[in-house]
Amino acid sequence: MLQRKIREELRSIVGEDGFFVDPEDLASYSYDAFVREFMPDAVILPRSTEEVSGIMKVAYREGIKIVARGAGTNLSGNAVAREGGMIMSFTRMNRIVEIDTRNRCAVVQPGVVNLDLQKEVMKMGFFYPPDPASMAVCTIGGNVALNAGGPRAVKYGVTRDYVMGLEVVLADGEIIRTGGKTVKNVSGYDLTRLLVGSEGTLGIVTEAVLRLIPLPRARKTLLAVFSSVEEVAETVSAILAAGIVPATLELMDRVIIDVIRDVGGASFPPNAAAVLLIEVDGDNESVEKQGNQIAAFCRERGAVQVETAKTQEEAERLWQARRSVAGAIYKVTPSLLVEDAVVPVSELPTIIRKIGDLSKQYNIKVGVLAHAGDGNLHPDIMTDVRNKEEMARVEKFIREMYEEVIALGGTLSGEHGIGIGKEKYMSLEFSRRTLDLMRGIKKVFDPKNILNPGSFLCER
Amino acid sequence: MLQRKIREELRSIVGEDGFFVDPEDLASYSYDAFVREFMPDAVILPRSTEEVSGIMKVAYREGIKIVARGAGTNLSGNAVAREGGMIMSFTRMNRIVEIDTRNRCAVVQPGVVNLDLQKEVMKMGFFYPPDPASMAVCTIGGNVALNAGGPRAVKYGVTRDYVMGLEVVLADGEIIRTGGKTVKNVSGYDLTRLLVGSEGTLGIVTEAVLRLIPLPRARKTLLAVFSSVEEVAETVSAILAAGIVPATLELMDRVIIDVIRDVGGASFPPNAAAVLLIEVDGDNESVEKQGNQIAAFCRERGAVQVETAKTQEEAERLWQARRSVAGAIYKVTPSLLVEDAVVPVSELPTIIRKIGDLSKQYNIKVGVLAHAGDGNLHPDIMTDVRNKEEMARVEKFIREMYEEVIALGGTLSGEHGIGIGKEKYMSLEFSRRTLDLMRGIKKVFDPKNILNPGSFLCER
């Protein structure tokens, strides 16, 4: 609970309509796409960098914990006040400040919705590739905080690869700038990329300079059905070995295919064990040629069905199965836990097989979606979080799965972040010393530990 | 001077042939491509990560300063023992440990020569793009420490964009690993990219996992001569706006052109004020098409001469002028100071004009080479470092030039690093607070300040 005097002070910075303490106003900030139980003490909505700075000066002086929040779509519990304190929401800082065509970059406030930016720059012939599944809702501030990726990462990389510079308000309210409108920069430590993916623990991003690239002129979508995951892995290897880097290589395993078929979402052959959705982009001639090559690779490696979209509508239809997965799953199960891990791409068949074995062992239903070109997989656990006995088995399954991921040389998060859900597994991935280094960095930026203070990156 | 007992201890780690203290042995480690005056107390040549760890344990215990050194080709004075202590050279850790075609990466020791790696992976159809000018000699360890770039950066990025993981020996000898054989990774702070470009101040890199991409099947080289830098800038804008990202866009200004012509290096038309060397790569059809488009853009924007190479030999001839610059300059002047800065690409004509004005004002001869696609420029100051009066003017010129770079929204180093030469300008680019944050990070990694302890990143 904030003292009255402090409430007045904060209200004077952001105005009457920018500060809330009533429970009914706070309720919609008590959850994100991962957790739903942390009621903040207050919510504040700054309109400018100066206001953010003013708020942080008060917060620093008074030791008020601050969690920055975009659209709350993250899957790691990073947008809630898990230790109480104040949520800082960026809905009123949602301007595209500038699209600088000559320097091929956009300057945006943190509250800008990812897809809005994509559409704006597209009008001018540019492309902003990072495409998290929530792109229609999620914001650039959240994308930067979690280093968001998406299906296009295999060709285009993730948010980190597009952030050229940041304006950041530090824990004590001081404003710094990192990077700028230049791609090349080796002056000092790379603070820009240290801040990207730092889960709100090092500073509050109030502006980002984002790199834009030329918009590909054409794209081609294919869907191939295989009778084993191994065949998919071999096909992906063949595609990449031929020098083709598709913009998307999305894999769905047998469990997912069966769920989609069961709810009448799409029809796949009965022996379908893996579906690969492939998209190439570039100029007209090359996508045509690459599309044909890929279709041939699929058939040579045993695909039982290969479809190539001839029109935009056909492409949409091919995407439909992939996009319908979450909806289909919720029709067959009360709860869905979406996990996130990365293995070296060669280990994808191994980890999918292992997940199958573990799910049998613990008697739980798990399907796998994967960005097959970069080894990033999302095991979808279909369960009922109210069933304690089952959840105990789920817990064991998850731990053993992540142990296997690490044993295969992988990492525990490809694009969702660590947040609340995964902090207990961090000792699998990081040595004590590595954690100490990270926590040392956190302390340099935030000595009073007021920025997202529940994070595993904080000293405990 | 190291005590006898410590010398014995170090020698016992690396063997008789891996430890030197005699002045004649040390002399060749007293300089790099930037400075030539710092005699180390000792030179040590480890053969393995374990030996590096053993050496660092001794160094940490005894407070011995350590500077890691690759080939010493850096242009910033980062490979010398500026505060005394020991040089750690990686000539005996020069193995390509693995080329993992399935995961499209190479695992290498720090002493591997950049071009050797490029050639090896090329045999297997892969491409390692970072191409510093010294690539025939410089090593991956140095490339990582300085985040080396090169002409191809406009399309392919710099070293940072290819480092997936590192093995690092910390100041006290503990070994940590960051990242791995996965491209996607958002677990914790991005220590990998914090270490890249950290100029040897945070840890000793003993192994790097480097991302490989498919080798482009074809390339096309063009050379265009313009009568003004503005025409070049417009041409570059037109090329990029058409969605073509050349692998190389190298600019030479009038001063450089005149020097090359004066020494008989190549013949350019008398009104040549700027030369643009362009290379596109990709598949056969697209490079052919893009080559034609680019030639048309050049002519439309006023090029007085456009040549397109039809064979590899012709391409080599077009590159010849660019490659001959340093040699030509040394024929007309005793000393060459190669500066390095980046401006937003739209400001390239402005900074080149400003450099022309300043060089007249201070009566010194300065040519400009630039990677015109990314705004990274190298002012080449032709002078005589023995002439104190002229050097005082050069000093003033450099400071005013860098002030202008910052005023234009640029950065003081694109690919050479800060090291000794540029530390005095760091307050132009960074606020006191930003410097404090960087120095705080340095202290977390290296509390005794024994790693490259002269750097501006160390607390003073």
Side-chain angles (χ1 to χ4, degrees):
Chain A
M1 229 352 230
L2 300 175
Q3 291 163 22
R4 190 196 173 121
K5 222 187 78 192
I6 297 168
R7 294 204 305 267
E8 291 308 316
E9 191 176 0
L10 292 168
R11 201 172 270 124
S12 78
I13 295 172
V14 295
E16 281 297 325
D17 52 353
F19 183 75
F20 306 105
V21 290
D22 291 345
E24 60 261 47
D25 292 321
L26 303 183
S28 46
Y29 299 89
S30 67
Y31 59 88
D32 61 18
F34 183 75
V35 286
R36 43 187 59 260
E37 57 215 288
F38 299 103
M39 193 68 115
D41 297 324
V43 171
I44 197 158
L45 289 76
R47 290 164 295 198
S48 67
T49 302
E50 291 63 38
E51 288 188 5
V52 174
S53 171
I55 295 163
M56 290 312 303
K57 278 175 188 158
V58 175
Y60 189 76
R61 194 188 69 211
E62 303 293 335
I64 303 168
K65 293 161 180 157
I66 300 285
V67 174
R69 181 180 171 103
T73 55
N74 77 90
L75 291 159
S76 50
N78 264 306
V80 291
R82 58 195 286 199
E83 305 220 326
M86 194 154 66
I87 294 281
M88 190 183 289
S89 167
F90 288 93
T91 43
R92 301 204 295 179
M93 286 178 71
N94 61 351
R95 264 191 323 120
I96 296 175
V97 179
E98 184 191 7
I99 296 174
D100 181 342
T101 56
R102 291 195 307 165
N103 294 307
R104 293 176 289 149
C105 63
V107 181
V108 305
Q109 290 188 319
V112 168
V113 170
N114 176 302
L115 193 61
D116 291 349
L117 176 65
Q118 290 196 40
K119 284 181 180 164
E120 274 311 301
V121 304
M122 212 173 275
K123 288 180 197 162
M124 303 162 100
F126 287 103
F127 187 31
Y128 178 70
D131 59 340
S134 55
M135 63 190 176
V137 193
C138 69
T139 62
I140 297 297
N143 293 175
V144 170
L146 292 172
N147 190 13
R152 291 178 196 140
V154 58
K155 178 166 181 176
Y156 292 107
V158 294
T159 302
R160 180 183 62 212
D161 302 305
Y162 294 87
V163 180
M164 300 161 78
L166 295 171
E167 181 186 70
V168 181
V169 177
L170 297 172
D172 62 2
E174 188 161 338
I175 303 163
I176 65 163
R177 284 201 158 267
T178 72
K181 288 185 175 180
T182 61
V183 175
K184 268 183 169 178
N185 184 342
V186 297
S187 287
Y189 298 139
D190 192 343
L191 298 187
T192 305
R193 281 169 191 80
L194 182 62
L195 281 150
V196 174
S198 64
E199 305 198 356
T201 60
L202 299 181
I204 310 275
V205 170
T206 48
E207 200 171 276
V209 184
L210 302 174
R211 185 164 74 95
L212 305 175
I213 62 173
L215 185 66
R217 301 295 204 247
R219 72 181 64 238
K220 194 92 201 164
T221 308
L222 296 92
L223 189 137
V225 180
F226 295 85
S227 51
S228 80
V229 169
E230 282 73 14
E231 288 171 1
V232 173
E234 280 168 28
T235 305
V236 169
S237 286
I239 294 170
L240 298 170
I244 302 171
V245 184
T248 295
L249 273 170
E250 294 287 287
L251 167 72
M252 296 184 281
D253 80 344
R254 186 194 298 270
V255 178
I256 300 284
I257 292 167
D258 290 347
V259 168
I260 295 174
R261 192 195 287 111
D262 289 350
V263 304
S267 64
F268 294 111
N271 59 337
V275 165
L276 190 61
L277 180 72
I278 309 148
E279 203 160 82
V280 287
D281 62 12
D283 58 38
N284 279 304
E285 299 85 14
S286 67
V287 303
E288 205 56 47
K289 189 174 145 193
Q290 292 181 349
N292 294 335
Q293 279 181 282
I294 289 171
F297 286 136
C298 290
R299 288 197 193 92
E300 285 160 27
R301 265 77 188 173
V304 295
Q305 185 182 314
V306 183
E307 289 182 83
T308 304
K310 298 216 167 33
T311 63
Q312 183 54 34
E313 290 67 41
E314 282 184 37
E316 280 305 314
R317 187 177 57 74
L318 297 186
W319 268 97
Q320 193 45 44
R322 173 66 184 81
R323 292 211 176 105
S324 69
V325 172
I329 287 176
Y330 277 117
K331 284 189 187 159
V332 302
T333 183
S335 317
L336 165 61
L337 304 181
V338 181
E339 297 299 321
D340 171 40
V342 193
V343 293
V345 68
S346 64
E347 304 292 357
L348 207 48
T350 308
I351 191 71
I352 291 176
R353 205 161 43 234
K354 180 78 184 181
I355 287 168
D357 293 348
L358 286 173
S359 70
K360 275 190 207 105
Q361 183 185 333
Y362 289 109
N363 189 29
I364 51 174
K365 192 166 180 176
V366 185
V368 175
L369 294 170
H371 309 303
D374 52 29
N376 186 191
L377 66 150
H378 299 300
D380 280 1
I381 304 172
M382 302 167 218
T383 182
D384 182 348
V385 293
R386 296 161 305 186
N387 181 338
K388 282 198 177 165
E389 183 275 324
E390 179 160 309
M391 287 309 289
R393 283 182 280 121
V394 165
E395 184 94 352
K396 282 182 189 154
F397 165 83
I398 294 177
R399 174 167 287 271
E400 284 195 41
M401 175 185 73
Y402 283 135
E403 282 170 358
E404 185 69 18
V405 165
I406 295 297
L408 292 170
T411 172
L412 295 190
S413 183
E415 51 187 21
H416 293 176
I418 303 306
I420 293 176
K422 236 177 246 176
E423 57 173 25
K424 56 180 167 294
Y425 308 119
M426 283 297 96
S427 61
L428 296 176
E429 179 155 0
F430 297 124
S431 67
R432 180 71 229 178
R433 183 59 178 281
T434 303
L435 284 172
D436 284 346
L437 290 173
M438 291 183 182
R439 288 169 183 167
I441 292 170
K442 161 71 170 166
K443 221 169 169 179
V444 168
F445 279 76
D446 182 18
K448 286 192 173 180
N449 192 23
I450 59 172
L451 294 170
N452 198 7
S455 164
F456 83 101
L457 293 158
C458 308
E459 216 164 62
R460 0 196 104 177
Chain B
M1 229 352 232
L2 300 175
Q3 290 163 22
R4 189 195 173 122
K5 223 186 78 193
I6 296 169
R7 294 204 305 268
E8 292 308 317
E9 193 176 359
L10 292 169
R11 202 172 270 123
S12 77
I13 296 172
V14 295
E16 280 298 325
D17 52 352
F19 183 74
F20 305 106
V21 290
D22 290 345
E24 61 261 46
D25 293 320
L26 302 183
S28 45
Y29 298 89
S30 68
Y31 59 89
D32 61 19
F34 183 76
V35 285
R36 44 186 60 259
E37 57 216 288
F38 299 103
M39 194 66 117
D41 298 324
V43 171
I44 196 157
L45 288 76
R47 289 164 295 196
S48 68
T49 302
E50 290 63 38
E51 288 189 6
V52 174
S53 171
I55 296 164
M56 289 313 302
K57 278 176 188 156
V58 175
Y60 189 75
R61 193 188 69 212
E62 303 293 336
I64 302 168
K65 294 162 180 158
I66 299 286
V67 174
R69 182 181 169 104
T73 55
N74 78 90
L75 291 159
S76 51
N78 263 306
V80 292
R82 59 195 285 199
E83 305 221 326
M86 193 154 66
I87 294 281
M88 190 184 288
S89 168
F90 289 92
T91 42
R92 300 204 295 179
M93 285 179 71
N94 62 351
R95 263 190 324 121
I96 297 176
V97 178
E98 184 192 6
I99 295 175
D100 180 342
T101 57
R102 292 195 308 165
N103 294 308
R104 292 174 291 149
C105 63
V107 181
V108 305
Q109 290 189 318
V112 168
V113 170
N114 177 302
L115 193 61
D116 290 348
L117 176 64
Q118 290 195 41
K119 284 181 181 165
E120 274 311 303
V121 303
M122 211 174 276
K123 287 179 197 161
M124 302 163 100
F126 287 103
F127 187 31
Y128 178 70
D131 59 339
S134 55
M135 63 190 177
V137 193
C138 69
T139 62
I140 297 297
N143 293 177
V144 170
L146 293 171
N147 190 13
R152 292 178 195 141
V154 58
K155 178 166 183 178
Y156 292 107
V158 294
T159 302
R160 179 182 61 214
D161 302 305
Y162 294 87
V163 181
M164 300 162 77
L166 294 172
E167 181 187 70
V168 181
V169 177
L170 298 173
D172 62 2
E174 189 161 336
I175 303 164
I176 64 164
R177 283 201 159 268
T178 72
K181 288 184 175 180
T182 62
V183 175
K184 269 184 168 176
N185 184 342
V186 297
S187 288
Y189 298 138
D190 192 344
L191 298 186
T192 306
R193 282 170 190 79
L194 182 64
L195 282 150
V196 173
S198 63
E199 305 197 356
T201 61
L202 299 182
I204 310 275
V205 171
T206 48
E207 199 171 278
V209 184
L210 303 174
R211 185 165 74 95
L212 305 175
I213 62 173
L215 185 66
R217 302 294 203 248
R219 72 181 63 237
K220 194 93 201 165
T221 308
L222 296 92
L223 188 137
V225 180
F226 295 85
S227 51
S228 80
V229 169
E230 282 73 13
E231 289 172 359
V232 173
E234 280 168 27
T235 305
V236 169
S237 286
I239 294 170
L240 297 170
I244 303 170
V245 183
T248 296
L249 273 169
E250 295 287 288
L251 167 73
M252 296 184 280
D253 81 344
R254 186 195 298 271
V255 178
I256 300 285
I257 293 168
D258 289 348
V259 168
I260 295 173
R261 192 195 286 111
D262 288 352
V263 304
S267 64
F268 294 111
N271 58 339
V275 166
L276 190 60
L277 180 72
I278 309 150
E279 203 160 82
V280 287
D281 62 12
D283 58 38
N284 279 304
E285 300 84 13
S286 68
V287 304
E288 204 55 47
K289 190 176 146 192
Q290 292 181 349
N292 293 336
Q293 279 180 281
I294 290 171
F297 286 136
C298 289
R299 288 197 193 91
E300 285 160 26
R301 267 78 188 172
V304 295
Q305 184 182 314
V306 182
E307 289 183 85
T308 304
K310 298 215 167 34
T311 61
Q312 183 55 34
E313 290 67 44
E314 281 183 38
E316 281 305 315
R317 187 179 55 75
L318 297 185
W319 267 97
Q320 193 44 44
R322 172 67 184 80
R323 295 215 174 99
S324 71
V325 172
I329 287 176
Y330 277 118
K331 284 189 188 161
V332 301
T333 181
S335 318
L336 164 62
L337 304 180
V338 181
E339 298 298 323
D340 171 40
V342 193
V343 292
V345 67
S346 64
E347 304 291 358
L348 207 48
T350 309
I351 191 69
I352 291 175
R353 205 161 42 235
K354 181 77 183 180
I355 287 169
D357 293 348
L358 285 173
S359 71
K360 275 189 206 104
Q361 184 186 331
Y362 290 109
N363 189 29
I364 51 175
K365 191 165 181 177
V366 185
V368 175
L369 294 171
H371 309 304
D374 53 28
N376 187 191
L377 65 150
H378 298 301
D380 280 0
I381 303 173
M382 303 167 216
T383 182
D384 183 347
V385 293
R386 297 161 304 188
N387 180 339
K388 282 195 177 167
E389 183 276 323
E390 179 161 308
M391 286 309 287
R393 284 183 279 122
V394 165
E395 184 95 353
K396 283 183 189 154
F397 165 84
I398 294 177
R399 173 166 288 270
E400 284 195 42
M401 175 185 72
Y402 284 134
E403 282 170 356
E404 185 69 17
V405 165
I406 295 297
L408 292 171
T411 173
L412 295 189
S413 182
E415 52 186 21
H416 293 176
I418 303 305
I420 294 176
K422 237 178 243 181
E423 57 173 25
K424 55 181 169 292
Y425 308 120
M426 283 298 97
S427 61
L428 296 176
E429 178 156 0
F430 297 124
S431 67
R432 181 70 229 179
R433 184 59 178 279
T434 303
L435 284 172
D436 283 347
L437 289 173
M438 292 182 181
R439 288 167 184 169
I441 293 169
K442 161 72 169 165
K443 222 170 167 178
V444 169
F445 279 76
D446 181 19
K448 286 193 174 181
N449 193 23
I450 59 171
L451 294 170
N452 198 4
S455 164
F456 82 101
L457 293 159
C458 308
E459 215 164 62
R460 358 197 105 177

